[in-house]
Coordinates of all heavy atoms in Angstrom, one line a residue:
M265 N 21.1 22.1 -32.3 CA 20.3 20.9 -32.3 C 20.4 20.3 -30.9 O 21.4 19.9 -30.5 CB 20.8 19.9 -33.4 CG 20.1 18.7 -33.5 SD 20.6 17.8 -34.9 CE 19.7 16.3 -34.8
P266 N 19.2 20.2 -30.2 CA 19.3 19.6 -28.9 C 19.6 18.1 -28.9 O 19.1 17.4 -29.8 CB 17.9 19.9 -28.3 CG 17.0 20.1 -29.5 CD 17.9 20.6 -30.6
L267 N 20.3 17.7 -27.9 CA 20.6 16.2 -27.8 C 19.5 15.5 -27.0 O 19.0 16.1 -26.1 CB 22.0 16.0 -27.1 CG 23.2 16.6 -27.8 CD1 24.4 16.4 -27.0 CD2 23.4 15.9 -29.2
G268 N 19.2 14.3 -27.4 CA 18.2 13.6 -26.7 C 18.2 12.2 -27.2 O 18.9 11.8 -28.2
P269 N 17.4 11.3 -26.7 CA 17.4 9.9 -27.1 C 16.7 9.8 -28.5 O 15.9 10.7 -28.9 CB 16.5 9.2 -26.1 CG 15.7 10.3 -25.4 CD 16.5 11.5 -25.5
D270 N 17.0 8.7 -29.2 CA 16.4 8.4 -30.5 C 14.9 8.3 -30.2 O 14.4 7.6 -29.3 CB 16.9 7.1 -31.0 CG 16.2 6.7 -32.3 OD1 15.7 7.5 -33.0 OD2 16.3 5.5 -32.5
P271 N 14.0 9.1 -30.9 CA 12.6 9.0 -30.7 C 12.0 7.7 -30.7 O 11.1 7.3 -29.9 CB 12.0 9.9 -31.8 CG 13.1 10.8 -32.2 CD 14.4 10.0 -32.0
A272 N 12.4 6.8 -31.6 CA 11.8 5.5 -31.7 C 12.2 4.6 -30.5 O 11.4 3.9 -29.9 CB 12.3 4.8 -33.0
L273 N 13.5 4.8 -30.0 CA 13.9 4.0 -28.8 C 13.2 4.6 -27.6 O 12.9 3.8 -26.7 CB 15.4 4.1 -28.7 CG 16.2 3.3 -29.8 CD1 17.7 3.5 -29.6 CD2 15.8 1.8 -29.7
A274 N 13.1 5.9 -27.6 CA 12.4 6.5 -26.4 C 11.0 6.0 -26.3 O 10.5 5.7 -25.2 CB 12.5 8.0 -26.5
R275 N 10.3 5.9 -27.4 CA 8.9 5.5 -27.4 C 8.8 4.0 -27.0 O 8.0 3.6 -26.2 CB 8.2 5.6 -28.8 CG 6.9 4.8 -28.8 CD 5.8 5.4 -29.6 NE 5.6 6.8 -29.7 CZ 4.9 7.5 -28.9 NH1 4.2 7.0 -27.9 NH2 4.7 8.8 -29.1
A276 N 9.8 3.2 -27.5 CA 9.8 1.8 -27.1 C 10.1 1.6 -25.6 O 9.4 0.8 -24.9 CB 10.9 1.0 -27.9
A277 N 11.0 2.4 -25.1 CA 11.3 2.3 -23.6 C 10.1 2.8 -22.8 O 9.8 2.2 -21.8 CB 12.5 3.2 -23.3
A278 N 9.5 3.9 -23.3 CA 8.3 4.4 -22.6 C 7.2 3.4 -22.5 O 6.5 3.2 -21.5 CB 7.8 5.7 -23.2
D279 N 6.9 2.7 -23.7 CA 5.9 1.7 -23.7 C 6.2 0.5 -22.8 O 5.3 0.0 -22.1 CB 5.8 1.1 -25.1 CG 5.2 2.1 -26.1 OD1 4.6 3.1 -25.7 OD2 5.3 1.9 -27.3
A280 N 7.5 0.1 -22.7 CA 7.9 -0.9 -21.8 C 7.7 -0.5 -20.3 O 7.3 -1.3 -19.5 CB 9.4 -1.3 -22.0
L281 N 8.0 0.8 -20.0 CA 7.9 1.3 -18.7 C 6.4 1.4 -18.3 O 6.0 1.1 -17.1 CB 8.5 2.6 -18.5 CG 10.1 2.6 -18.5 CD1 10.6 4.0 -18.7 CD2 10.5 2.0 -17.2
F282 N 5.5 1.8 -19.2 CA 4.1 1.8 -18.9 C 3.6 0.4 -18.7 O 2.8 0.1 -17.8 CB 3.3 2.5 -20.0 CG 3.3 4.0 -20.0 CD1 3.7 4.7 -21.1 CD2 3.0 4.6 -18.8 CE1 3.7 6.1 -21.0 CE2 3.0 6.0 -18.7 CZ 3.4 6.8 -19.8
A283 N 4.1 -0.6 -19.5 CA 3.7 -2.0 -19.3 C 4.2 -2.5 -17.9 O 3.5 -3.2 -17.2 CB 4.3 -2.9 -20.4
L284 N 5.4 -2.1 -17.5 CA 5.9 -2.4 -16.2 C 5.1 -1.9 -15.1 O 4.8 -2.6 -14.1 CB 7.4 -1.9 -16.0 CG 8.0 -2.1 -14.6 CD1 8.2 -3.6 -14.3 CD2 9.3 -1.4 -14.6
R285 N 4.6 -0.7 -15.3 CA 3.7 -0.1 -14.3 C 2.5 -0.9 -14.1 O 2.0 -1.1 -12.9 CB 3.3 1.4 -14.7 CG 2.4 2.0 -13.7 CD 1.9 3.3 -14.3 NE 1.0 3.0 -15.4 CZ 0.5 3.9 -16.3 NH1 0.7 5.2 -16.1 NH2 -0.2 3.5 -17.3
E286 N 1.9 -1.4 -15.2 CA 0.7 -2.2 -15.1 C 1.0 -3.5 -14.4 O 0.2 -4.0 -13.6 CB 0.1 -2.5 -16.5 CG -0.4 -1.2 -17.2 CD -1.4 -0.5 -16.4 OE1 -2.3 -1.1 -15.8 OE2 -1.4 0.8 -16.3
R287 N 2.2 -4.1 -14.7 CA 2.5 -5.4 -14.1 C 2.7 -5.3 -12.6 O 2.3 -6.2 -11.9 CB 3.8 -6.0 -14.8 CG 3.5 -6.4 -16.2 CD 4.8 -7.0 -16.8 NE 4.5 -7.3 -18.2 CZ 5.4 -7.2 -19.2 NH1 6.6 -6.8 -18.9 NH2 5.1 -7.5 -20.4
V288 N 3.4 -4.2 -12.2 CA 3.6 -4.1 -10.7 C 2.3 -3.8 -10.0 O 2.2 -4.1 -8.8 CB 4.8 -3.2 -10.4 CG1 6.1 -3.7 -10.9 CG2 4.5 -1.7 -10.8
A289 N 1.4 -3.1 -10.7 CA 0.1 -2.8 -10.0 C -0.6 -4.1 -9.8 O -1.2 -4.3 -8.8 CB -0.7 -1.8 -10.9
D290 N -0.6 -5.0 -10.8 CA -1.2 -6.3 -10.7 C -0.5 -7.1 -9.5 O -1.2 -7.8 -8.7 CB -1.1 -7.1 -12.0 CG -2.0 -6.5 -13.1 OD1 -2.9 -5.7 -12.7 OD2 -1.8 -6.9 -14.2
A291 N 0.8 -7.0 -9.5 CA 1.5 -7.7 -8.4 C 1.2 -7.2 -7.1 O 1.1 -7.9 -6.1 CB 3.0 -7.7 -8.7
E292 N 1.0 -5.9 -7.0 CA 0.7 -5.3 -5.7 C -0.7 -5.8 -5.3 O -0.9 -6.1 -4.1 CB 0.6 -3.7 -5.8 CG 0.2 -3.0 -4.6 CD 0.0 -1.5 -4.8 OE1 0.4 -1.0 -5.9 OE2 -0.5 -0.9 -3.9
D293 N -1.7 -5.8 -6.2 CA -3.0 -6.4 -5.9 C -2.9 -7.8 -5.4 O -3.6 -8.2 -4.4 CB -3.9 -6.3 -7.1 CG -4.3 -4.9 -7.4 OD1 -4.1 -3.9 -6.6 OD2 -4.7 -4.6 -8.6
D294 N -2.0 -8.6 -6.0 CA -1.9 -10.0 -5.6 C -1.3 -10.1 -4.2 O -1.8 -10.9 -3.4 CB -1.0 -10.7 -6.6 CG -1.6 -11.0 -8.0 OD1 -2.9 -10.8 -8.1 OD2 -0.9 -11.3 -8.9
V295 N -0.3 -9.3 -3.9 CA 0.3 -9.3 -2.6 C -0.7 -8.9 -1.5 O -0.8 -9.6 -0.5 CB 1.5 -8.4 -2.6 CG1 2.0 -8.1 -1.1 CG2 2.7 -8.9 -3.3
L296 N -1.5 -7.8 -1.8 CA -2.4 -7.4 -0.8 C -3.6 -8.4 -0.6 O -4.2 -8.4 0.4 CB -2.9 -6.0 -1.2 CG -1.9 -4.9 -1.1 CD1 -2.4 -3.6 -1.6 CD2 -1.4 -4.7 0.3
S297 N -3.9 -9.2 -1.7 CA -5.0 -10.1 -1.5 C -4.5 -11.4 -0.9 O -5.3 -12.3 -0.6 CB -5.6 -10.4 -2.9 OG -4.7 -11.1 -3.7
S298 N -3.2 -11.6 -0.6 CA -2.7 -12.8 -0.1 C -2.4 -12.7 1.4 O -1.4 -13.2 1.9 CB -1.5 -13.3 -0.8 OG -0.4 -12.4 -0.6
L299 N -3.2 -12.0 2.1 CA -3.0 -11.8 3.6 C -3.2 -13.1 4.3 O -4.3 -13.7 4.2 CB -3.9 -10.7 4.1 CG -3.6 -9.3 3.5 CD1 -4.6 -8.3 4.1 CD2 -2.2 -8.9 3.9
V300 N -2.2 -13.7 4.9 CA -2.2 -14.9 5.6 C -2.5 -14.7 7.0 O -1.9 -13.8 7.6 CB -0.9 -15.7 5.4 CG1 -0.9 -17.0 6.1 CG2 -0.6 -15.9 3.9
V301 N -3.3 -15.5 7.7 CA -3.6 -15.4 9.1 C -2.8 -16.5 9.8 O -3.0 -17.7 9.5 CB -5.1 -15.6 9.4 CG1 -5.3 -15.5 10.9 CG2 -5.9 -14.5 8.7
T302 N -1.9 -16.1 10.6 CA -1.0 -17.1 11.3 C -1.6 -17.6 12.6 O -1.3 -18.7 13.1 CB 0.4 -16.5 11.6 OG1 0.2 -15.4 12.5 CG2 1.1 -16.1 10.4
G303 N -2.5 -16.8 13.2 CA -3.1 -17.2 14.5 C -2.2 -16.8 15.7 O -2.7 -16.9 16.8
E304 N -1.0 -16.3 15.4 CA -0.2 -15.8 16.5 C 0.1 -14.3 16.3 O 0.4 -13.9 15.2 CB 1.2 -16.5 16.4 CG 1.1 -18.0 16.7 CD 0.8 -18.4 18.1 OE1 1.2 -17.6 19.0 OE2 0.1 -19.4 18.3
P305 N -0.2 -13.5 17.3 CA -0.1 -12.1 17.1 C 1.3 -11.5 16.7 O 1.4 -10.7 15.7 CB -0.4 -11.5 18.5 CG -1.0 -12.6 19.3 CD -0.6 -13.9 18.7
R306 N 2.4 -12.0 17.2 CA 3.7 -11.5 16.9 C 4.1 -11.9 15.4 O 4.5 -11.0 14.7 CB 4.7 -12.0 17.9 CG 6.0 -11.2 17.8 CD 6.8 -11.5 19.0 NE 8.0 -10.7 19.0 CZ 9.0 -10.9 19.8 NH1 9.0 -11.9 20.7 NH2 10.1 -10.1 19.7
P307 N 4.0 -13.2 15.1 CA 4.3 -13.5 13.7 C 3.4 -12.8 12.7 O 3.8 -12.5 11.6 CB 4.2 -15.0 13.6 CG 4.4 -15.5 15.0 CD 3.8 -14.4 15.9
Q308 N 2.1 -12.7 13.1 CA 1.2 -12.0 12.2 C 1.6 -10.6 11.9 O 1.5 -10.1 10.8 CB -0.2 -12.0 12.8 CG -1.3 -11.5 11.9 CD -1.6 -12.4 10.7 OE1 -1.8 -13.6 10.9 NE2 -1.5 -11.8 9.5
R309 N 2.1 -9.9 12.9 CA 2.5 -8.5 12.8 C 3.7 -8.4 11.8 O 3.8 -7.6 11.0 CB 2.8 -7.9 14.1 CG 3.1 -6.4 14.0 CD 3.2 -5.7 15.4 NE 2.6 -6.5 16.4 CZ 3.2 -6.7 17.7 NH1 4.3 -6.1 18.0 NH2 2.6 -7.4 18.6
V310 N 4.6 -9.3 12.0 CA 5.8 -9.4 11.2 C 5.4 -9.6 9.7 O 5.9 -9.0 8.8 CB 6.8 -10.4 11.7 CG1 8.0 -10.6 10.6 CG2 7.4 -10.1 13.0
L311 N 4.6 -10.6 9.5 CA 4.1 -10.9 8.2 C 3.3 -9.8 7.5 O 3.6 -9.4 6.4 CB 3.2 -12.2 8.2 CG 2.7 -12.7 6.9 CD1 3.8 -13.0 5.9 CD2 1.8 -13.8 7.1
D312 N 2.5 -9.2 8.3 CA 1.7 -8.0 7.8 C 2.6 -6.8 7.4 O 2.4 -6.2 6.4 CB 0.7 -7.5 8.8 CG -0.5 -8.5 9.0 OD1 -0.6 -9.4 8.1 OD2 -1.2 -8.4 10.0
D313 N 3.6 -6.6 8.3 CA 4.6 -5.5 8.0 C 5.4 -5.8 6.7 O 5.6 -4.9 5.9 CB 5.5 -5.3 9.1 CG 4.9 -4.7 10.3 OD1 3.7 -4.1 10.2 OD2 5.5 -4.7 11.4
W314 N 5.8 -7.1 6.5 CA 6.5 -7.5 5.4 C 5.7 -7.3 4.1 O 6.2 -6.8 3.1 CB 7.0 -8.9 5.5 CG 7.9 -9.3 4.3 CD1 9.2 -9.1 4.2 CD2 7.4 -10.1 3.2 NE1 9.6 -9.6 3.0 CE2 8.5 -10.2 2.4 CE3 6.2 -10.6 2.8 CZ2 8.5 -10.9 1.1 CZ3 6.1 -11.3 1.6 CH2 7.3 -11.4 0.8
L315 N 4.4 -7.7 4.1 CA 3.6 -7.6 3.0 C 3.3 -6.1 2.7 O 3.3 -5.7 1.5 CB 2.2 -8.3 3.2 CG 2.3 -9.8 3.2 CD1 1.0 -10.5 3.6 CD2 2.8 -10.4 1.8
D316 N 3.2 -5.3 3.7 CA 3.1 -3.8 3.5 C 4.3 -3.3 2.8 O 4.2 -2.4 1.9 CB 2.8 -3.1 4.8 CG 1.4 -3.3 5.3 OD1 0.5 -3.7 4.5 OD2 1.2 -3.0 6.5
Q317 N 5.5 -3.7 3.2 CA 6.7 -3.2 2.6 C 6.8 -3.7 1.1 O 7.3 -2.9 0.3 CB 7.9 -3.7 3.4 CG 8.1 -3.0 4.7 CD 9.2 -3.6 5.5 OE1 9.9 -4.6 5.1 NE2 9.5 -3.0 6.7
V318 N 6.4 -4.9 0.9 CA 6.5 -5.4 -0.5 C 5.5 -4.5 -1.4 O 5.9 -4.1 -2.5 CB 6.1 -6.9 -0.6 CG1 5.9 -7.3 -2.0 CG2 7.2 -7.7 0.1
A319 N 4.3 -4.3 -0.9 CA 3.3 -3.5 -1.6 C 3.8 -2.1 -1.8 O 3.7 -1.5 -2.9 CB 2.0 -3.5 -0.9
D320 N 4.4 -1.5 -0.8 CA 5.0 -0.1 -0.9 C 6.1 -0.1 -2.0 O 6.2 0.9 -2.8 CB 5.5 0.4 0.4 CG 4.4 0.7 1.4 OD1 3.2 0.8 1.0 OD2 4.7 0.8 2.6
T321 N 6.9 -1.1 -2.0 CA 8.0 -1.2 -2.9 C 7.5 -1.3 -4.4 O 7.9 -0.6 -5.3 CB 9.0 -2.3 -2.6 OG1 9.5 -2.2 -1.3 CG2 10.1 -2.4 -3.6
L322 N 6.5 -2.2 -4.6 CA 5.9 -2.3 -5.9 C 5.2 -1.0 -6.3 O 5.3 -0.6 -7.5 CB 4.9 -3.4 -5.9 CG 5.5 -4.8 -5.8 CD1 4.4 -5.9 -5.5 CD2 6.2 -5.2 -7.0
R323 N 4.6 -0.3 -5.4 CA 3.9 0.9 -5.7 C 5.0 2.0 -6.1 O 4.8 2.7 -7.1 CB 3.1 1.4 -4.5 CG 2.2 2.5 -4.8 CD 1.3 2.9 -3.6 NE 0.6 1.7 -3.1 CZ 0.7 1.2 -1.9 NH1 1.5 1.7 -1.0 NH2 0.0 0.1 -1.6
A324 N 6.1 2.0 -5.4 CA 7.2 3.0 -5.8 C 7.8 2.7 -7.1 O 8.1 3.6 -7.9 CB 8.3 2.9 -4.7
V325 N 8.0 1.4 -7.4 CA 8.5 1.0 -8.7 C 7.6 1.4 -9.8 O 8.0 2.0 -10.9 CB 8.8 -0.5 -8.8 CG1 9.0 -1.0 -10.2 CG2 9.9 -0.9 -7.9
G326 N 6.3 1.2 -9.6 CA 5.3 1.6 -10.6 C 5.2 3.1 -10.8 O 5.2 3.6 -12.0
E327 N 5.3 3.9 -9.8 CA 5.3 5.3 -9.9 C 6.6 5.8 -10.6 O 6.5 6.7 -11.4 CB 5.2 6.0 -8.5 CG 3.8 5.8 -7.9 CD 3.8 6.2 -6.4 OE1 4.9 6.7 -5.9 OE2 2.7 6.1 -5.8
T328 N 7.7 5.2 -10.3 CA 9.0 5.7 -10.9 C 8.9 5.3 -12.4 O 9.3 6.1 -13.3 CB 10.2 5.0 -10.2 OG1 10.2 5.4 -8.9 CG2 11.5 5.4 -10.9
A329 N 8.4 4.1 -12.7 CA 8.3 3.7 -14.1 C 7.4 4.7 -14.9 O 7.7 5.1 -16.0 CB 7.8 2.3 -14.2
S330 N 6.3 5.1 -14.3 CA 5.4 6.0 -14.9 C 6.0 7.4 -15.1 O 5.9 8.0 -16.2 CB 4.1 6.1 -14.1 OG 3.2 7.0 -14.7
D331 N 6.8 7.8 -14.1 CA 7.5 9.1 -14.3 C 8.5 9.1 -15.4 O 8.6 10.0 -16.2 CB 8.1 9.5 -12.9 CG 7.1 9.9 -11.9 OD1 5.9 10.1 -12.2 OD2 7.5 9.9 -10.7
L332 N 9.3 8.0 -15.4 CA 10.3 7.9 -16.5 C 9.7 7.8 -17.8 O 10.2 8.4 -18.8 CB 11.2 6.7 -16.2 CG 12.2 6.8 -15.0 CD1 12.8 5.4 -14.7 CD2 13.2 7.9 -15.3
A333 N 8.6 7.0 -17.9 CA 7.9 6.9 -19.2 C 7.4 8.2 -19.7 O 7.5 8.5 -20.9 CB 6.8 5.8 -19.1
T334 N 6.8 9.0 -18.8 CA 6.3 10.3 -19.2 C 7.4 11.2 -19.7 O 7.3 11.9 -20.7 CB 5.6 10.9 -18.0 OG1 4.5 10.0 -17.6 CG2 5.0 12.3 -18.4
T335 N 8.6 11.2 -19.0 CA 9.7 12.0 -19.5 C 10.2 11.5 -20.8 O 10.5 12.3 -21.7 CB 10.8 11.8 -18.4 OG1 10.4 12.3 -17.2 CG2 12.0 12.7 -18.8
L336 N 10.3 10.2 -21.0 CA 10.7 9.7 -22.3 C 9.8 10.1 -23.4 O 10.2 10.4 -24.6 CB 10.9 8.2 -22.3 CG 12.2 7.7 -21.6 CD1 12.1 6.2 -21.4 CD2 13.4 8.1 -22.4
R337 N 8.5 10.0 -23.2 CA 7.5 10.4 -24.2 C 7.7 11.8 -24.6 O 7.4 12.2 -25.8 CB 6.1 10.2 -23.6 CG 5.6 8.8 -23.6 CD 5.0 8.4 -24.9 NE 4.8 6.9 -25.0 CZ 3.7 6.3 -24.8 NH1 2.6 7.0 -24.5 NH2 3.6 5.0 -24.9
A338 N 8.2 12.7 -23.8 CA 8.4 14.1 -24.1 C 9.5 14.2 -25.2 O 9.6 15.2 -25.9 CB 8.8 14.9 -22.9
H339 N 10.4 13.1 -25.3 CA 11.5 13.2 -26.3 C 11.1 12.5 -27.6 O 11.9 12.5 -28.5 CB 12.7 12.5 -25.7 CG 13.3 13.2 -24.6 ND1 14.1 14.4 -24.8 CD2 13.3 13.0 -23.2 CE1 14.5 14.8 -23.6 NE2 14.0 14.0 -22.7
T340 N 9.9 12.1 -27.7 CA 9.5 11.5 -29.0 C 9.0 12.6 -29.9 O 8.5 13.6 -29.4 CB 8.4 10.4 -28.8 OG1 7.3 11.0 -28.2 CG2 8.9 9.3 -28.0
D341 N 9.1 12.4 -31.2 CA 8.6 13.5 -32.1 C 7.5 12.9 -33.0 O 7.1 11.8 -32.9 CB 9.8 14.0 -32.9 CG 10.4 12.9 -33.8 OD1 9.9 11.8 -33.9 OD2 11.4 13.2 -34.5
A342 N 7.1 13.7 -33.9 CA 6.0 13.3 -34.8 C 6.3 12.1 -35.6 O 5.5 11.3 -36.0 CB 5.5 14.5 -35.6
T343 N 7.6 12.0 -36.0 CA 8.0 10.8 -36.8 C 7.8 9.5 -36.1 O 7.3 8.6 -36.6 CB 9.5 11.0 -37.1 OG1 9.8 12.2 -37.7 CG2 9.9 9.9 -38.1
A344 N 8.0 9.5 -34.8 CA 7.8 8.3 -34.0 C 6.3 8.0 -33.9 O 5.9 6.8 -33.8 CB 8.4 8.4 -32.6
E345 N 5.5 9.0 -33.9 CA 4.0 8.8 -33.8 C 3.5 8.1 -35.1 O 2.5 7.5 -35.1 CB 3.3 10.1 -33.7 CG 3.5 10.8 -32.3 CD 2.8 10.0 -31.2 OE1 1.8 9.4 -31.5 OE2 3.3 10.0 -30.1
N346 N 4.2 8.2 -36.2 CA 3.8 7.7 -37.5 C 4.3 6.3 -37.7 O 4.1 5.7 -38.8 CB 4.2 8.6 -38.6 CG 3.5 9.9 -38.6 OD1 2.4 10.0 -38.1 ND2 4.1 11.0 -39.0
T347 N 4.9 5.6 -36.7 CA 5.4 4.3 -37.0 C 4.2 3.3 -36.9 O 3.2 3.6 -36.3 CB 6.4 3.8 -35.9 OG1 5.8 3.9 -34.6 CG2 7.7 4.7 -36.0
T348 N 4.3 2.2 -37.5 CA 3.2 1.2 -37.6 C 3.1 0.6 -36.2 O 4.1 0.5 -35.5 CB 3.4 0.2 -38.7 OG1 4.6 -0.5 -38.3 CG2 3.6 0.8 -40.0
P349 N 1.9 0.1 -35.9 CA 1.7 -0.6 -34.6 C 2.7 -1.8 -34.5 O 3.2 -2.1 -33.4 CB 0.3 -1.0 -34.6 CG -0.4 -0.1 -35.5 CD 0.6 0.3 -36.5
T350 N 2.9 -2.5 -35.6 CA 3.7 -3.7 -35.5 C 5.2 -3.3 -35.2 O 5.8 -3.9 -34.4 CB 3.7 -4.4 -36.9 OG1 2.4 -4.7 -37.2 CG2 4.6 -5.7 -36.9
A351 N 5.6 -2.2 -35.8 CA 7.0 -1.8 -35.5 C 7.1 -1.3 -34.1 O 8.1 -1.6 -33.4 CB 7.3 -0.6 -36.4
R352 N 6.1 -0.7 -33.5 CA 6.2 -0.2 -32.1 C 6.2 -1.5 -31.2 O 6.9 -1.5 -30.3 CB 5.0 0.7 -31.8 CG 5.4 2.0 -31.4 CD 4.3 2.8 -30.8 NE 3.0 2.6 -31.3 CZ 2.3 3.3 -32.2 NH1 3.0 4.3 -32.8 NH2 1.1 3.1 -32.5
T353 N 5.4 -2.5 -31.5 CA 5.3 -3.7 -30.7 C 6.7 -4.4 -30.7 O 7.2 -4.8 -29.7 CB 4.2 -4.6 -31.2 OG1 3.0 -3.9 -31.1 CG2 4.1 -5.8 -30.3
T354 N 7.3 -4.5 -31.9 CA 8.6 -5.1 -32.0 C 9.6 -4.4 -31.2 O 10.4 -5.0 -30.6 CB 9.0 -5.2 -33.5 OG1 7.9 -5.9 -34.2 CG2 10.3 -5.9 -33.7
Q355 N 9.6 -3.0 -31.3 CA 10.5 -2.3 -30.6 C 10.4 -2.5 -29.1 O 11.3 -2.6 -28.3 CB 10.4 -0.8 -30.9 CG 10.8 -0.4 -32.3 CD 10.4 1.0 -32.7 OE1 9.6 1.6 -32.0 NE2 10.9 1.4 -33.8
T356 N 9.1 -2.5 -28.6 CA 8.8 -2.7 -27.2 C 9.3 -4.0 -26.8 O 9.9 -4.2 -25.7 CB 7.3 -2.5 -26.9 OG1 7.0 -1.2 -27.3 CG2 7.0 -2.7 -25.4
A357 N 9.1 -5.0 -27.6 CA 9.5 -6.4 -27.3 C 11.0 -6.5 -27.1 O 11.5 -7.2 -26.2 CB 9.0 -7.4 -28.3
A358 N 11.7 -5.7 -27.9 CA 13.2 -5.8 -27.8 C 13.6 -5.2 -26.5 O 14.6 -5.6 -25.9 CB 13.8 -5.0 -29.0
V359 N 12.9 -4.2 -26.0 CA 13.3 -3.5 -24.7 C 13.0 -4.4 -23.5 O 13.8 -4.6 -22.6 CB 12.6 -2.2 -24.6 CG1 12.8 -1.6 -23.2 CG2 13.1 -1.2 -25.7
D360 N 11.8 -5.0 -23.4 CA 11.4 -5.7 -22.2 C 11.4 -7.2 -22.3 O 11.0 -7.8 -21.3 CB 10.0 -5.1 -21.7 CG 8.9 -5.5 -22.5 OD1 9.1 -6.2 -23.6 OD2 7.8 -5.2 -22.1
G361 N 11.7 -7.7 -23.4 CA 11.8 -9.2 -23.6 C 10.5 -9.8 -23.8 O 10.4 -11.0 -24.0
W362 N 9.4 -9.1 -23.9 CA 8.1 -9.6 -24.1 C 7.8 -9.8 -25.6 O 8.3 -9.1 -26.4 CB 7.0 -8.7 -23.5 CG 5.6 -9.1 -23.8 CD1 4.9 -10.0 -23.1 CD2 4.7 -8.5 -24.8 NE1 3.7 -10.1 -23.6 CE2 3.5 -9.2 -24.6 CE3 4.9 -7.6 -25.8 CZ2 2.5 -9.0 -25.5 CZ3 3.8 -7.3 -26.6 CH2 2.6 -8.0 -26.4
R363 N 7.2 -10.9 -25.9 CA 6.9 -11.2 -27.3 C 5.4 -11.2 -27.5 O 4.7 -11.9 -26.7 CB 7.4 -12.6 -27.7 CG 8.9 -12.6 -27.7 CD 9.5 -11.8 -28.8 NE 10.9 -11.7 -28.7 CZ 11.7 -10.7 -29.0 NH1 11.1 -9.6 -29.5 NH2 13.0 -10.7 -28.9
P364 N 4.8 -10.6 -28.5 CA 3.4 -10.6 -28.7 C 2.9 -12.0 -29.2 O 3.6 -12.8 -29.6 CB 3.2 -9.6 -29.9 CG 4.5 -9.3 -30.5 CD 5.5 -9.8 -29.5

């Protein structure tokens, strides 16, 4: 019998990771839309570089969350697929602290 995570917990964690991916994508859009013009070339370059680094970090977090979620979904079985939407939402809420 292969060892692996509990399918229900794996699904809940995967759902939370997919939600995280969406949240950081929104945050990345917000960061990129908040380009401030300082009027000074040197501070502008520092600010632009910092915003690029923040956006790159958010993008990396989103990609990693997506990769981990995809891996966790591979550990779910048909039994986890048959859980009710309410049960899945409750499980996800327990993982990421979000309440419907």
Side-chain angles (χ1 to χ4, degrees):
M265 179 171 175
L267 296 176
D270 176 26
L273 292 176
R275 169 144 327 267
D279 291 345
L281 287 166
F282 280 129
L284 174 64
R285 180 190 64 187
E286 296 302 319
R287 289 179 186 148
V288 296
D290 292 342
E292 179 188 349
D293 291 341
D294 289 345
V295 165
L296 292 175
S297 69
S298 67
L299 298 175
V300 178
V301 177
T302 64
E304 298 290 326
R306 195 168 184 190
Q308 185 69 50
R309 188 172 339 139
V310 171
L311 181 60
D312 291 346
D313 288 346
W314 183 80
L315 289 173
D316 286 343
Q317 288 176 356
V318 170
D320 288 345
T321 300
L322 289 170
R323 195 174 302 119
V325 168
E327 289 172 0
T328 302
S330 182
D331 291 346
L332 289 171
T334 302
T335 301
L336 283 172
R337 285 271 169 101
H339 290 287
T340 60
D341 63 3
T343 307
E345 290 290 328
N346 293 330
T347 60
T348 63
T350 304
R352 243 193 328 262
T353 302
T354 304
Q355 291 167 350
T356 301
V359 172
D360 69 358
W362 176 79
R363 297 289 177 215

